Amino acid sequence: MKRFAGYIFDLDGTVYLGEEPLPGAPETICQLMAQDSRCVFLSNKPIEPVSRYREKLRAMGIPVNDGDVINSSIVMARYLNHRKPGAKVYLVGEKPLEDELTRAGAIITSNPYEAEYVVISWDRDFNYRKLHDAMQAILNGAHMVATHPDRACPVPGGLVPDAAGMIAAIEAVTGKKCEEIVGKPSRWTVDAALERLGLPREEVLMVGDRLETDITMGKSAGIKTALVLTGITRREDLVNSTVQPDYILEGLPDLLKGD
């Protein structure tokens, strides 16, 4: 298939599943890099620091640099800095996201009545107290924003609930809609990736396993897209989908077909 100057790779379900690389994925990426293609890696997953993703890729033999991995925590920090530097945030999320927002200057508060933003994310300790406090903050005028819209995350053996469950619960009790979701497929994420690559859109390929995030984002940004069938999406899901990728791959090694 066509060789691109730049690649934006999703991680979970595309490059690896859990702690294990998907067959041929590291070797394929390394070969693309050796042929001078630039690569950026995206994850909507905010429950680990971005340094952990870099370490994980390096352990698989993929030579990533600082800045080559962007997750929804980093994008949310950029978003808040753009909207209101030093904003007071009530967080429904985990420690790595809190740390990223704090480093970027946000003020995390446990008092819902002083929060200016409620940031909603994947939170494995989501409970009634967080639901109650998020509701009070939003009804008191705080903006409701979220890191990413994923309904489930692929793990070895199946799927686990993701941030969409927390967003839906808070929307239900407040009667309000989330104002902005900054992770894939948002322009906030694709703009961060394109800025890192420093390439024209027509020279970039978005590669991922989800129609509703990875492929939708690429299409919306005017980037060519490749759906890999190693994660969430199955070939039969394409039959009735309004979102169609430019390429369909059984795995990342298909990127090298024709070499």
Side-chain angles (χ1 to χ4, degrees):
M1 63 180 289
K2 176 184 173 181
R3 180 60 48 82
F4 289 83
Y7 293 83
I8 303 173
F9 288 103
D10 170 56
L11 289 175
D12 288 286
T14 300
V15 177
Y16 53 67
L17 196 59
E19 297 300 313
E20 295 300 319
L22 286 159
E27 295 82 359
T28 298
I29 294 167
C30 287
Q31 187 166 334
L32 292 172
M33 288 178 169
Q35 295 173 355
D36 294 325
S37 289
R38 302 178 192 171
C39 298
V40 167
F41 303 88
L42 299 182
S43 177
N44 271 350
K45 198 172 177 181
I47 60 172
E48 291 181 329
V50 74
S51 59
R52 167 67 181 127
Y53 297 109
R54 288 196 301 267
E55 292 165 5
K56 191 171 181 178
L57 290 170
R58 288 168 182 165
M60 293 175 184
I62 301 171
V64 294
N65 297 313
D66 292 354
D68 288 345
V69 182
I70 301 168
N71 72 349
S72 59
S73 299
I74 288 175
V75 180
M76 178 57 76
R78 287 168 59 113
Y79 171 83
L80 290 175
N81 266 338
H82 177 80
R83 293 297 189 198
K84 187 170 185 181
K88 292 183 179 178
V89 172
Y90 182 84
L91 178 62
V92 176
E94 300 190 13
K95 187 67 163 51
L97 174 57
E98 179 180 345
D99 291 343
E100 193 66 51
L101 298 184
T102 300
R103 278 193 295 271
I107 300 168
I108 307 299
T109 179
S110 59
N111 181 351
Y113 300 102
E114 69 176 19
E116 297 166 290
Y117 283 83
V118 173
V119 172
I120 309 168
S121 189
W122 185 2
D123 189 337
R124 289 169 294 182
D125 291 321
F126 186 60
N127 56 29
Y128 185 82
R129 171 52 59 188
K130 293 180 181 180
L131 180 63
H132 172 275
D133 286 354
M135 176 184 181
Q136 301 311 317
I138 292 162
L139 295 181
N140 196 50
H143 297 283
M144 179 177 12
V145 297
T147 53
H148 63 296
D150 299 23
R151 294 188 300 271
C153 180
V155 296
L159 302 172
V160 295
D162 209 323
M166 289 93 235
I167 297 169
I170 294 168
E171 287 182 335
V173 297
T174 60
K176 298 179 181 293
K177 296 295 290 182
C178 192
E179 297 173 30
E180 190 91 60
I181 301 177
V182 303
K184 296 180 294 180
S186 167
R187 67 179 180 87
W188 292 95
T189 292
V190 73
D191 285 351
L194 289 171
E195 181 181 318
R196 180 64 182 174
L197 285 173
L199 294 167
R201 294 168 192 258
E202 60 270 18
E203 295 181 20
V204 175
L205 180 69
M206 175 70 220
V207 186
D209 70 310
R210 294 175 184 259
L211 291 170
E212 71 274 17
T213 54
D214 304 312
I215 306 306
T216 294
M217 184 180 74
K219 291 287 186 183
S220 298
I223 297 170
K224 292 292 186 183
T225 59
L227 176 73
V228 64
L229 300 175
T230 49
I232 289 282
T233 306
R234 298 291 176 260
R235 192 175 291 274
E236 54 267 27
D237 297 330
L238 292 162
V239 176
N240 296 314
S241 177
T242 58
V243 180
Q244 294 292 322
D246 296 290
Y247 305 96
I248 301 171
L249 314 176
E250 292 296 332
L252 286 192
D254 285 358
L255 289 171
L256 302 176
K257 281 189 174 178
D259 281 7

